[in-house]
Amino acid sequence: PVDRSPEIQEARLKLPILAEEQVIMEAINENPVVIICGETGSGKTTQVPQFLYEAGYASSDGIIGITEPRRVAAVSMSHRVAKEMNLSHRVVSYQIRYEGNVTDETKIKFMTDGVLLKEIQKDFLLLKYKVIIIDEAHERSVYTDILIGLLSRIVPLRGKKGQPMKLIIMSATLRVEDFTDNQKLFPAVPPAIQVDARQFPVTVHFNKRTPVDDYNGECFRKVCKIHRMLPAGGILVFLTGQAEVNSLCRRLRKAFPFHKNKTEGDEEKEESVEETRKFKKSKQKKTMPLPKIDLNSYSVLPVDEGDEDREAEMDDDEDAVGSDIDLDLGDDGLEEGEKSNSSLPLYVLPLYSLLAPEKQAKVFRPPPLGTRLCVVATNVAETSLTIPSIKYVVDCGKVKKRFYDKVTGVSSFRVTWTSQASANQRAGRAGRTEPGHCYRLYSSAVFSDFEKFSPPEITRRPVEDLILQMKALNIEKVINFPFPTPPPTEALAAAEELLIALGALQEPPKTGRLKDLQIAKLSCPISPLGMTMASFPVAPRYAKMLALSKQHDCLPYAITIVSAMTVRELFEEFERPAVSEEETEKLKGKKARVIQMRRIWAGQGPFQKLGDLMVMLGAVGACEYAGCTPKFCEANGLRYKAMVEIRRLRGQLTTAVNSVCPDAGLFVDPKMKPPTETQVTYLRQIVLAGLGDHIARRIQAEELLDEKWKNAYKTPLLDDPVFIHPNSVLFKQLPEFVVYQEIVETTQMYMKGVSAVESE
Ligand code: ADP
Ligand code: MG
């Protein structure tokens, strides 16, 4: 029996999924695999685990596991469900890569999909679980796809063993054919239950014209207009990345200053009565009837022909605010004198995945009284998190994605149009609590050219890590694996080849044809080294480095370097435009200091040859020595969140290494001494062993045929020049041979994470 508070009970009853509890539970009781589709916010993530719990699916002989593609969701959903059920975090818990609060009492466990994949390696049948819920399956993250493939085999095996397990796949869209019409995956078609969306109508407004470049400016103008002209209700803006989000937040805060946020807790207390009154009054007067438009009708064409024109006016004539032109977005005009809400402060919050968790959590709390909430977000807000009381969505229509070249592995971040499905998801965020509006900063013609759905991630990125994990699970013929959508054969072959080069797979006999044949069939078995590598939770190249580092006491350093290379964005970005002159000076001073620190960390003479990896080692060493405080990070241009992750990953890798070779007796030493010269030499060899295929040679003066090759490097696979990234400590030194962590293409192709290799 669950003892919920009356408020929670009331809120639950409003969720559409509650009406389906019986249908859902009957389907689950009668079928090993069930698919549940329902709009974001219908209650899938928070309620289905509770249904299962109440139906007795968590007992002494098994618990309920839920996977999320994003860490943010795993943590915040476990908190939410614990609160709704009035149970402690000891019972409703979470586990993400670096942390968790799982106990012996845990009955409901939220985790990232990567965590469950690791567990399958230890216990293929997942005997600890009675139910696995794969959430957000529509996102088609690589791990989600692999998990569904594996679970399609595990579920029948559990049935045969007489310890049946249920698999529930939850999706925010109805596009589930990859799971249902896939005989290889599920020979018996699993039932798909559709939860009716209790979604209020959302009116979609397309721009008449699509801005060529400046969608950021366009977003700013649109938010300003909504805030000045439209009735109360939260605004949610979709942009493509962290830098854009922060920059729009700054602009908006400047345009609509919100002076009371000196300390968060004081916001409400300092609320002025007068403002509240003004706010209430304007709210009463301004309720405009909204056009009744069904959400389902917006997917292809603009709902209202007139909208485009009105929109265009809004766009073309920014100064119109306060003038007589009728600029409202609904059917009713606003009366003169009521047009400006600008006295109302705008409470602007950013939301993106690298944001510190306590800052992320702010978006769930009600905004200070008498303010309008405006959340500026990346894709995180598209499906996994439901932000309360959003009435207006501003959608730039773009998404930032990493693209990989299938052959060379060169990656670039590109901003492209999103898919129709995701644009519709974004629009849907506006209709959660009342009818809403979505402003698309592009025309309906552009929208109809969007691809219908984004292709699954597994078809878009290198897969060596997955292949190694699968081989470690004794899946030798990867090509026969029941992928919901298989990766391209080139990507599979490239992965197999890299793993052979790293020694992780047994090399097929070198009789020409046979080797080709085996790679083509992708059936090389894993080697003992490969098994060791697979036990490290890092990419195969880095796992190889760890596996080689036992000599000369290099392990603690290799672990640190690998941790630093694995965690994203160690160093703060400096592109932040200063708000004032004073700040400009401060930033200049800081930049100088940071550059100096990087030089110090890079060391002298032979130490320097380890290049950027030496800098990483030095930065982590110094930061840990100083106690890894936010203050130290801030002063030295390090990203605190990254440093904390590195610390956790070091701990995790240290444990992993100890369990593979118990005599290593490693521990994480916060006062780790810098490596000796000999150790640095070995470290460079180790790095070369892992990154051997990432080698580049500088073009010598006598070879210089074309200016474009000045200071450039040549790599075996690329015809075009690549350069050392300007942020690298080796940028000026230009060693003859280097290895790099990755090549990222921006204006040029840049090598990042560079270290020098001896030329002999
Ligand atoms: P779905 O998984 O179908 O998208 P959820 O179960 O995540 O839906 O959300 C159901 C409802 O619970 C939503 O209306 C949302 O507003 C509410 N909710 C979710 N998390 C929180 C939270 N942390 N605080 C308050 N309400 C929340
Ligand atoms: Mg959900």
Side-chain angles (χ1 to χ4, degrees), residues 507-524:
E507 186 157 17
K510 280 212 170 69
T511 48
R513 289 265 314 128
L514 185 59
K515 180 178 172 185
D516 291 345
L517 217 66
Q518 269 193 310
I519 293 180
K521 277 192 177 160
L522 308 162
S523 57
C524 299

Side-chain angles (χ1 to χ4, degrees), residues 44-45 135-136 383-384:
K44 299 181 299 298
T45 312
D135 201 4
E136 308 283 346
T383 58
S384 29

